[in-house]
Amino acid sequence: MFARIVYESFRHQARRKLLAGIAITLGVAVATAMIAVATDIGDKINRELRSYGANLLVTPQEDTLDVEVGGVNLKPPSDGAFLNESDLPKIRGTFWHNNIVGFSPMLPVTVKIGYGGGAKDVTLVGTYFNKPLHFGKQDFTTGVRITHPWWKVEGSCGNGALPRPGRVEDSPAACGWPNDDSQDVLLGERLATKLARKPGDTLDVAGRQLTISGILSTGAAEDDQIVAPLALAQQILGKPGAVRRVYVSALTKPQDAFATQDPNTMTPEARDRWYCSPYVQSIAYQLQEVIPHSHAEQIRQVAQNEGTVLSRIKGLMLLVTLAALFASALAVSAAMATAIFERRVEVGLMKALGAGNLAVSAIFFAEALLLALVGGIAGFSAGALLARQIGLSIFNSQISIEPVLFPVILAIAVIVTFAGSAAAIRRAVKFDPVFALRGEG
């Protein structure tokens, strides 16, 4: 009899139930999409933010030491210590090596260039452009074209930068970039304007005739500098294998209170958890382990902005989810209230025949549960499609839907439906059978 009453309710009030089901489906679909995107957005947002550049800086440890006696700084007035280029591939040997997007060593050298019949001091910066390296069984490519993607180079193909089909990094956009084993250089656009030089011209640098492969525009200090392959800068400086600093771009998770703790003061269990979490601090710690005599620290403005952007996006998604579920609950409440009011005579008859409040409410909650399950399944399917569409349109990749999300979504659908139905069902059990049978509410 119980099942037949529920069935007849759906058969005779198909329109009301359909409207309530659609409201549940829409609310659950939005919730599914937002939860799926929020759980998968961390890595995707990190990769998007990596377009803003490196978030870690590695320098010689000696550069962080200031020796003062009586207020007098005794640090030698030199260009500082250097890192060893041969240690750099070890970056791919850290625990979080898969999170290392790329790294770029830098070696600034003051050189003299021919200018107006005389000489002019400028800074030449040696670096990797698109350097193939090897560590263990790994072959990888790294350089400023990965860590400094905002650098723009204007030049012509044919100056050692011919594109190789099938490789993104060697697409036609590579025209003008020097090869890392060449004697070609990039000239900052402001310096190029002063010197009246263009791609293909030669430039006298420290007594060497170097070819300008492209004009570099960064909007920063590099516009007044020369950027050359690292090996060339080392030759000019007379220090083979020397590196002054290394910019590292890594995928990290937003820092929290645990991330900022000193690992040397942690218990072994806490330290292992900290070490095995992709915090920018733990990755910096690991970089110091693999590069001897180095000091690694986060570039704070970039790292803090990542956490802020991610937190705000997730907060917005939570707000949209709650708004959609609230609207769904209101729609269910309105539909259920109307349906129950139309069935007040039926409720009065059941109570006149001896049905208690529990029996009456059980019928309506069973109807609500069935609506929630059907709407939850339909909403989960629609939300999964919406999440994938969001991933393709915004991140150009699919959002992965975890199977564990399905029971969570069903539970949300049930909670929303019961919350929307509770007030109407409570009113139904309070119907006076005398007035209900007479059609009075």
Short mmCIF file of all heavy atoms in Angstrom, two decimals, residues 147-205:
data_model
loop_
_atom_site.label_atom_id
_atom_site.label_comp_id
_atom_site.label_asym_id
_atom_site.label_seq_id
_atom_site.Cartn_x
_atom_site.Cartn_y
_atom_site.Cartn_z
N THR A 147 60.84 29.46 -18.48
CA THR A 147 60.69 30.19 -17.22
C THR A 147 60.36 31.66 -17.40
O THR A 147 59.86 32.30 -16.49
CB THR A 147 61.97 30.08 -16.37
OG1 THR A 147 63.06 30.67 -17.10
CG2 THR A 147 62.29 28.63 -16.05
N HIS A 148 60.64 32.21 -18.57
CA HIS A 148 60.37 33.63 -18.84
C HIS A 148 59.54 33.74 -20.13
O HIS A 148 59.99 34.32 -21.13
CB HIS A 148 61.67 34.42 -18.99
CG HIS A 148 62.50 34.47 -17.75
ND1 HIS A 148 63.07 33.36 -17.18
CD2 HIS A 148 62.86 35.52 -16.96
CE1 HIS A 148 63.74 33.72 -16.10
NE2 HIS A 148 63.62 35.01 -15.94
N PRO A 149 58.33 33.22 -20.13
CA PRO A 149 57.55 33.16 -21.38
C PRO A 149 57.10 34.51 -21.90
O PRO A 149 56.60 34.59 -23.02
CB PRO A 149 56.34 32.28 -20.99
CG PRO A 149 56.20 32.46 -19.52
CD PRO A 149 57.60 32.61 -19.00
N TRP A 150 57.23 35.56 -21.08
CA TRP A 150 56.82 36.89 -21.56
C TRP A 150 57.91 37.57 -22.40
O TRP A 150 57.66 38.60 -22.99
CB TRP A 150 56.45 37.78 -20.37
CG TRP A 150 57.60 38.14 -19.49
CD1 TRP A 150 58.43 39.21 -19.61
CD2 TRP A 150 58.07 37.40 -18.36
NE1 TRP A 150 59.38 39.21 -18.62
CE2 TRP A 150 59.18 38.11 -17.83
CE3 TRP A 150 57.65 36.24 -17.74
CZ2 TRP A 150 59.89 37.66 -16.72
CZ3 TRP A 150 58.35 35.79 -16.62
CH2 TRP A 150 59.46 36.50 -16.12
N TRP A 151 59.11 37.00 -22.45
CA TRP A 151 60.16 37.56 -23.29
C TRP A 151 59.75 37.47 -24.76
O TRP A 151 59.37 36.40 -25.24
CB TRP A 151 61.47 36.81 -23.07
CG TRP A 151 62.19 37.19 -21.80
CD1 TRP A 151 61.67 37.81 -20.72
CD2 TRP A 151 63.56 36.95 -21.49
NE1 TRP A 151 62.62 37.98 -19.75
CE2 TRP A 151 63.80 37.47 -20.19
CE3 TRP A 151 64.61 36.36 -22.18
CZ2 TRP A 151 65.05 37.39 -19.58
CZ3 TRP A 151 65.86 36.29 -21.57
CH2 TRP A 151 66.08 36.81 -20.28
N LYS A 152 59.83 38.57 -25.45
CA LYS A 152 59.48 38.60 -26.86
C LYS A 152 60.73 38.89 -27.70
O LYS A 152 61.49 39.80 -27.38
CB LYS A 152 58.42 39.69 -27.13
CG LYS A 152 57.10 39.43 -26.42
CD LYS A 152 56.11 40.54 -26.72
CE LYS A 152 54.78 40.31 -25.99
NZ LYS A 152 53.82 41.40 -26.25
N VAL A 153 60.89 38.10 -28.73
CA VAL A 153 62.07 38.23 -29.58
C VAL A 153 61.62 38.44 -31.02
O VAL A 153 60.77 37.70 -31.53
CB VAL A 153 62.97 36.98 -29.49
CG1 VAL A 153 64.10 37.05 -30.50
CG2 VAL A 153 63.53 36.85 -28.08
N GLU A 154 62.18 39.46 -31.64
CA GLU A 154 61.93 39.71 -33.06
C GLU A 154 63.21 39.41 -33.82
O GLU A 154 64.28 39.97 -33.52
CB GLU A 154 61.51 41.16 -33.29
CG GLU A 154 60.15 41.51 -32.69
CD GLU A 154 59.74 42.93 -33.02
OE1 GLU A 154 60.49 43.60 -33.78
OE2 GLU A 154 58.68 43.37 -32.53
N GLY A 155 63.10 38.54 -34.79
CA GLY A 155 64.27 38.18 -35.58
C GLY A 155 63.83 37.35 -36.77
O GLY A 155 62.65 37.08 -36.96
N SER A 156 64.79 36.94 -37.55
CA SER A 156 64.47 36.14 -38.74
C SER A 156 65.07 34.76 -38.59
O SER A 156 66.12 34.57 -37.98
CB SER A 156 65.06 36.82 -39.99
OG SER A 156 66.46 36.97 -39.85
N CYS A 157 64.36 33.76 -39.11
CA CYS A 157 64.91 32.40 -39.12
C CYS A 157 66.11 32.37 -40.05
O CYS A 157 66.11 32.97 -41.11
CB CYS A 157 63.86 31.40 -39.57
SG CYS A 157 62.50 31.23 -38.42
N GLY A 158 67.10 31.64 -39.63
CA GLY A 158 68.31 31.58 -40.45
C GLY A 158 69.52 31.98 -39.67
O GLY A 158 70.64 31.83 -40.15
N ASN A 159 69.38 32.50 -38.45
CA ASN A 159 70.52 32.87 -37.62
C ASN A 159 70.73 31.81 -36.53
O ASN A 159 70.85 32.11 -35.36
CB ASN A 159 70.28 34.24 -36.97
CG ASN A 159 70.25 35.34 -38.01
OD1 ASN A 159 71.07 35.37 -38.91
ND2 ASN A 159 69.28 36.23 -37.88
N GLY A 160 70.74 30.57 -36.93
CA GLY A 160 70.93 29.51 -35.95
C GLY A 160 69.68 29.18 -35.19
O GLY A 160 69.73 28.52 -34.17
N ALA A 161 68.52 29.60 -35.67
CA ALA A 161 67.28 29.35 -34.93
C ALA A 161 66.21 28.78 -35.85
O ALA A 161 65.07 29.16 -35.81
CB ALA A 161 66.79 30.62 -34.27
N LEU A 162 66.62 27.89 -36.73
CA LEU A 162 65.66 27.31 -37.65
C LEU A 162 64.68 26.42 -36.90
O LEU A 162 65.07 25.60 -36.07
CB LEU A 162 66.39 26.47 -38.71
CG LEU A 162 67.23 27.28 -39.71
CD1 LEU A 162 68.04 26.34 -40.58
CD2 LEU A 162 66.34 28.16 -40.57
N PRO A 163 63.38 26.56 -37.16
CA PRO A 163 62.40 25.72 -36.47
C PRO A 163 62.48 24.28 -36.93
O PRO A 163 62.76 24.00 -38.09
CB PRO A 163 61.06 26.35 -36.87
CG PRO A 163 61.33 27.02 -38.17
CD PRO A 163 62.75 27.50 -38.10
N ARG A 164 62.24 23.38 -35.99
CA ARG A 164 62.21 21.97 -36.30
C ARG A 164 60.78 21.47 -36.15
O ARG A 164 60.21 21.58 -35.07
CB ARG A 164 63.15 21.19 -35.36
CG ARG A 164 64.62 21.41 -35.70
CD ARG A 164 65.50 20.88 -34.61
NE ARG A 164 65.50 21.80 -33.47
CZ ARG A 164 66.20 21.60 -32.37
NH1 ARG A 164 66.93 20.51 -32.24
NH2 ARG A 164 66.14 22.47 -31.38
N PRO A 165 60.19 20.93 -37.21
CA PRO A 165 58.78 20.51 -37.14
C PRO A 165 58.54 19.50 -36.03
O PRO A 165 59.39 18.66 -35.73
CB PRO A 165 58.54 19.88 -38.53
CG PRO A 165 59.61 20.46 -39.41
CD PRO A 165 60.79 20.70 -38.52
N GLY A 166 57.35 19.59 -35.43
CA GLY A 166 56.97 18.63 -34.41
C GLY A 166 57.34 19.03 -33.01
O GLY A 166 56.98 18.34 -32.05
N ARG A 167 58.05 20.13 -32.83
CA ARG A 167 58.45 20.57 -31.50
C ARG A 167 57.88 21.97 -31.26
O ARG A 167 58.17 22.89 -32.02
CB ARG A 167 59.97 20.60 -31.35
CG ARG A 167 60.59 19.22 -31.36
CD ARG A 167 62.11 19.33 -31.46
NE ARG A 167 62.67 20.11 -30.37
CZ ARG A 167 63.12 19.57 -29.24
NH1 ARG A 167 63.04 18.27 -29.03
NH2 ARG A 167 63.64 20.32 -28.29
N VAL A 168 57.09 22.11 -30.18
CA VAL A 168 56.48 23.40 -29.88
C VAL A 168 57.53 24.45 -29.64
O VAL A 168 57.45 25.58 -30.10
CB VAL A 168 55.55 23.28 -28.65
CG1 VAL A 168 55.02 24.66 -28.25
CG2 VAL A 168 54.41 22.34 -28.95
N GLU A 169 58.58 24.04 -28.88
CA GLU A 169 59.61 25.03 -28.53
C GLU A 169 60.44 25.45 -29.73
O GLU A 169 61.21 26.40 -29.67
CB GLU A 169 60.53 24.46 -27.44
CG GLU A 169 61.25 23.18 -27.82
CD GLU A 169 60.47 21.94 -27.41
OE1 GLU A 169 59.24 22.04 -27.27
OE2 GLU A 169 61.08 20.88 -27.26
N ASP A 170 60.35 24.71 -30.85
CA ASP A 170 61.10 25.07 -32.04
C ASP A 170 60.15 25.41 -33.19
O ASP A 170 60.44 25.19 -34.35
CB ASP A 170 62.01 23.92 -32.46
CG ASP A 170 63.12 23.68 -31.44
OD1 ASP A 170 63.77 24.67 -31.06
OD2 ASP A 170 63.32 22.53 -31.02
N SER A 171 58.99 25.96 -32.85
CA SER A 171 58.03 26.39 -33.84
C SER A 171 58.54 27.67 -34.51
O SER A 171 59.57 28.22 -34.11
CB SER A 171 56.68 26.65 -33.16
OG SER A 171 56.82 27.72 -32.26
N PRO A 172 57.83 28.18 -35.51
CA PRO A 172 58.26 29.43 -36.13
C PRO A 172 58.43 30.57 -35.14
O PRO A 172 59.15 31.53 -35.40
CB PRO A 172 57.13 29.71 -37.13
CG PRO A 172 56.63 28.36 -37.51
CD PRO A 172 56.74 27.54 -36.25
N ALA A 173 57.78 30.49 -33.97
CA ALA A 173 57.96 31.53 -32.96
C ALA A 173 59.38 31.55 -32.42
O ALA A 173 59.79 32.48 -31.74
CB ALA A 173 56.98 31.32 -31.81
N ALA A 174 60.17 30.47 -32.75
CA ALA A 174 61.55 30.40 -32.27
C ALA A 174 62.49 31.27 -33.09
O ALA A 174 63.65 31.45 -32.72
CB ALA A 174 62.03 28.95 -32.31
N CYS A 175 62.02 31.79 -34.19
CA CYS A 175 62.88 32.60 -35.04
C CYS A 175 63.44 33.79 -34.27
O CYS A 175 62.69 34.54 -33.64
CB CYS A 175 62.10 33.08 -36.26
SG CYS A 175 61.54 31.74 -37.32
N GLY A 176 64.74 33.96 -34.33
CA GLY A 176 65.40 35.05 -33.62
C GLY A 176 66.09 34.60 -32.35
O GLY A 176 66.98 35.28 -31.86
N TRP A 177 65.68 33.46 -31.80
CA TRP A 177 66.32 32.96 -30.58
C TRP A 177 67.65 32.30 -30.94
O TRP A 177 67.72 31.49 -31.86
CB TRP A 177 65.42 31.93 -29.89
CG TRP A 177 64.21 32.51 -29.24
CD1 TRP A 177 62.99 32.67 -29.79
CD2 TRP A 177 64.12 33.00 -27.90
NE1 TRP A 177 62.12 33.24 -28.88
CE2 TRP A 177 62.78 33.45 -27.71
CE3 TRP A 177 65.02 33.10 -26.83
CZ2 TRP A 177 62.33 33.99 -26.51
CZ3 TRP A 177 64.56 33.64 -25.64
CH2 TRP A 177 63.25 34.07 -25.48
N PRO A 178 68.71 32.60 -30.20
CA PRO A 178 70.00 31.95 -30.47
C PRO A 178 69.97 30.49 -30.03
O PRO A 178 69.20 30.10 -29.15
CB PRO A 178 70.99 32.75 -29.60
CG PRO A 178 70.26 33.97 -29.16
CD PRO A 178 68.81 33.60 -29.14
N ASN A 179 70.82 29.68 -30.64
CA ASN A 179 71.07 28.34 -30.13
C ASN A 179 72.01 28.44 -28.94
O ASN A 179 72.86 29.33 -28.88
CB ASN A 179 71.68 27.44 -31.20
CG ASN A 179 70.66 26.98 -32.23
OD1 ASN A 179 69.47 26.92 -31.94
ND2 ASN A 179 71.13 26.68 -33.43
N ASP A 180 71.86 27.50 -28.00
CA ASP A 180 72.68 27.57 -26.79
C ASP A 180 74.15 27.24 -27.03
O ASP A 180 74.99 27.53 -26.18
CB ASP A 180 72.10 26.61 -25.73
CG ASP A 180 70.84 27.16 -25.09
OD1 ASP A 180 70.94 28.08 -24.25
OD2 ASP A 180 69.75 26.69 -25.44
N ASP A 181 74.47 26.65 -28.17
CA ASP A 181 75.87 26.34 -28.49
C ASP A 181 76.44 27.29 -29.53
O ASP A 181 77.48 27.02 -30.15
CB ASP A 181 76.00 24.90 -28.96
CG ASP A 181 75.11 24.60 -30.17
OD1 ASP A 181 74.35 25.50 -30.58
OD2 ASP A 181 75.18 23.47 -30.69
N SER A 182 75.77 28.43 -29.74
CA SER A 182 76.22 29.37 -30.77
C SER A 182 76.92 30.57 -30.14
O SER A 182 77.03 30.69 -28.92
CB SER A 182 75.00 29.86 -31.58
OG SER A 182 74.19 30.72 -30.79
N GLN A 183 77.39 31.47 -31.00
CA GLN A 183 78.00 32.73 -30.57
C GLN A 183 77.06 33.90 -30.88
O GLN A 183 77.50 35.05 -30.94
CB GLN A 183 79.33 32.94 -31.31
CG GLN A 183 80.40 31.90 -31.00
CD GLN A 183 81.01 32.11 -29.62
OE1 GLN A 183 81.55 33.17 -29.32
NE2 GLN A 183 80.93 31.07 -28.79
N ASP A 184 75.77 33.59 -31.04
CA ASP A 184 74.78 34.62 -31.33
C ASP A 184 74.21 35.17 -30.02
O ASP A 184 74.21 34.48 -28.99
CB ASP A 184 73.64 34.06 -32.18
CG ASP A 184 74.14 33.58 -33.54
OD1 ASP A 184 75.22 34.00 -33.94
OD2 ASP A 184 73.43 32.76 -34.16
N VAL A 185 73.69 36.40 -30.08
CA VAL A 185 73.16 37.04 -28.88
C VAL A 185 71.84 37.73 -29.20
O VAL A 185 71.51 37.99 -30.36
CB VAL A 185 74.16 38.08 -28.31
CG1 VAL A 185 75.46 37.41 -27.91
CG2 VAL A 185 74.41 39.22 -29.31
N LEU A 186 71.11 38.04 -28.11
CA LEU A 186 69.94 38.89 -28.20
C LEU A 186 70.31 40.28 -27.71
O LEU A 186 71.04 40.41 -26.73
CB LEU A 186 68.79 38.34 -27.34
CG LEU A 186 68.21 36.98 -27.73
CD1 LEU A 186 67.15 36.57 -26.71
CD2 LEU A 186 67.62 37.02 -29.13
N LEU A 187 69.79 41.30 -28.36
CA LEU A 187 70.07 42.68 -27.97
C LEU A 187 68.77 43.30 -27.45
O LEU A 187 67.74 43.25 -28.12
CB LEU A 187 70.59 43.46 -29.18
CG LEU A 187 71.29 44.80 -28.89
CD1 LEU A 187 72.53 44.57 -28.04
CD2 LEU A 187 71.68 45.48 -30.20
N GLY A 188 68.82 43.85 -26.23
CA GLY A 188 67.65 44.52 -25.67
C GLY A 188 67.19 45.65 -26.58
O GLY A 188 68.01 46.35 -27.19
N GLU A 189 65.85 45.84 -26.66
CA GLU A 189 65.32 46.78 -27.66
C GLU A 189 65.77 48.21 -27.40
O GLU A 189 66.02 48.96 -28.36
CB GLU A 189 63.80 46.69 -27.72
CG GLU A 189 63.06 47.07 -26.46
CD GLU A 189 61.56 47.08 -26.69
OE1 GLU A 189 61.13 46.89 -27.84
OE2 GLU A 189 60.81 47.29 -25.71
N ARG A 190 65.89 48.64 -26.14
CA ARG A 190 66.35 50.02 -25.89
C ARG A 190 67.81 50.16 -26.28
O ARG A 190 68.21 51.19 -26.85
CB ARG A 190 66.14 50.38 -24.43
CG ARG A 190 64.70 50.69 -24.06
CD ARG A 190 64.59 51.40 -22.73
NE ARG A 190 65.03 50.57 -21.60
CZ ARG A 190 64.22 49.82 -20.87
NH1 ARG A 190 62.91 49.78 -21.16
NH2 ARG A 190 64.68 49.11 -19.87
N LEU A 191 68.62 49.15 -25.97
CA LEU A 191 70.03 49.19 -26.36
C LEU A 191 70.17 49.12 -27.87
O LEU A 191 71.03 49.81 -28.46
CB LEU A 191 70.78 48.04 -25.70
CG LEU A 191 72.29 47.97 -25.94
CD1 LEU A 191 72.98 49.25 -25.45
CD2 LEU A 191 72.90 46.76 -25.26
N ALA A 192 69.33 48.33 -28.53
CA ALA A 192 69.37 48.23 -29.99
C ALA A 192 69.05 49.57 -30.64
O ALA A 192 69.65 49.96 -31.65
CB ALA A 192 68.39 47.17 -30.47
N THR A 193 68.11 50.31 -30.04
CA THR A 193 67.75 51.64 -30.57
C THR A 193 68.92 52.59 -30.43
O THR A 193 69.23 53.37 -31.36
CB THR A 193 66.52 52.19 -29.83
OG1 THR A 193 65.42 51.29 -29.99
CG2 THR A 193 66.13 53.55 -30.37
N LYS A 194 69.59 52.57 -29.27
CA LYS A 194 70.74 53.45 -29.06
C LYS A 194 71.89 53.14 -30.02
O LYS A 194 72.56 54.04 -30.52
CB LYS A 194 71.24 53.32 -27.63
CG LYS A 194 70.28 53.83 -26.57
CD LYS A 194 70.83 53.59 -25.17
CE LYS A 194 69.84 54.03 -24.10
NZ LYS A 194 70.35 53.74 -22.74
N LEU A 195 72.09 51.84 -30.28
CA LEU A 195 73.21 51.43 -31.12
C LEU A 195 72.84 51.36 -32.60
O LEU A 195 73.71 51.10 -33.44
CB LEU A 195 73.73 50.05 -30.67
CG LEU A 195 74.24 49.95 -29.23
CD1 LEU A 195 74.66 48.52 -28.92
CD2 LEU A 195 75.41 50.90 -29.00
N ALA A 196 71.52 51.53 -32.91
CA ALA A 196 71.04 51.45 -34.29
C ALA A 196 71.40 50.11 -34.90
O ALA A 196 71.93 50.02 -36.01
CB ALA A 196 71.60 52.60 -35.14
N ARG A 197 71.10 49.05 -34.15
CA ARG A 197 71.38 47.70 -34.62
C ARG A 197 70.08 46.95 -34.86
O ARG A 197 69.04 47.23 -34.25
CB ARG A 197 72.21 46.92 -33.59
CG ARG A 197 73.61 47.45 -33.39
CD ARG A 197 74.47 47.21 -34.64
NE ARG A 197 75.89 47.27 -34.34
CZ ARG A 197 76.60 48.38 -34.22
NH1 ARG A 197 75.99 49.55 -34.35
NH2 ARG A 197 77.89 48.33 -33.96
N LYS A 198 70.14 45.95 -35.75
CA LYS A 198 68.98 45.12 -36.09
C LYS A 198 69.45 43.67 -36.21
O LYS A 198 70.66 43.40 -36.27
CB LYS A 198 68.34 45.60 -37.39
CG LYS A 198 69.23 45.49 -38.60
CD LYS A 198 68.54 46.05 -39.83
CE LYS A 198 69.39 45.85 -41.10
NZ LYS A 198 70.70 46.52 -40.99
N PRO A 199 68.49 42.71 -36.24
CA PRO A 199 68.89 41.31 -36.38
C PRO A 199 69.73 41.08 -37.62
O PRO A 199 69.46 41.63 -38.70
CB PRO A 199 67.55 40.58 -36.49
CG PRO A 199 66.58 41.45 -35.77
CD PRO A 199 67.03 42.86 -36.04
N GLY A 200 70.79 40.30 -37.45
CA GLY A 200 71.72 40.01 -38.55
C GLY A 200 72.96 40.86 -38.51
O GLY A 200 73.98 40.51 -39.13
N ASP A 201 72.93 42.00 -37.76
CA ASP A 201 74.12 42.84 -37.63
C ASP A 201 75.11 42.19 -36.68
O ASP A 201 74.77 41.30 -35.89
CB ASP A 201 73.75 44.22 -37.11
CG ASP A 201 72.96 45.03 -38.12
OD1 ASP A 201 72.92 44.63 -39.29
OD2 ASP A 201 72.36 46.06 -37.72
N THR A 202 76.34 42.64 -36.72
CA THR A 202 77.36 42.17 -35.78
C THR A 202 77.62 43.26 -34.76
O THR A 202 77.35 44.44 -34.99
CB THR A 202 78.66 41.80 -36.51
OG1 THR A 202 79.14 42.97 -37.21
CG2 THR A 202 78.44 40.66 -37.49
N LEU A 203 78.14 42.84 -33.61
CA LEU A 203 78.42 43.76 -32.52
C LEU A 203 79.73 43.38 -31.88
O LEU A 203 79.99 42.20 -31.60
CB LEU A 203 77.28 43.67 -31.47
CG LEU A 203 77.34 44.65 -30.30
CD1 LEU A 203 77.16 46.09 -30.81
CD2 LEU A 203 76.25 44.32 -29.28
N ASP A 204 80.58 44.40 -31.65
CA ASP A 204 81.87 44.17 -31.01
C ASP A 204 81.65 44.11 -29.50
O ASP A 204 81.35 45.12 -28.85
CB ASP A 204 82.83 45.31 -31.37
CG ASP A 204 84.22 45.10 -30.78
OD1 ASP A 204 84.43 44.06 -30.12
OD2 ASP A 204 85.09 45.98 -30.96
N VAL A 205 81.78 42.93 -28.91
CA VAL A 205 81.57 42.72 -27.48
C VAL A 205 82.84 42.11 -26.89
O VAL A 205 83.21 40.98 -27.22
CB VAL A 205 80.37 41.78 -27.22
CG1 VAL A 205 80.20 41.55 -25.72
CG2 VAL A 205 79.11 42.34 -27.83
#
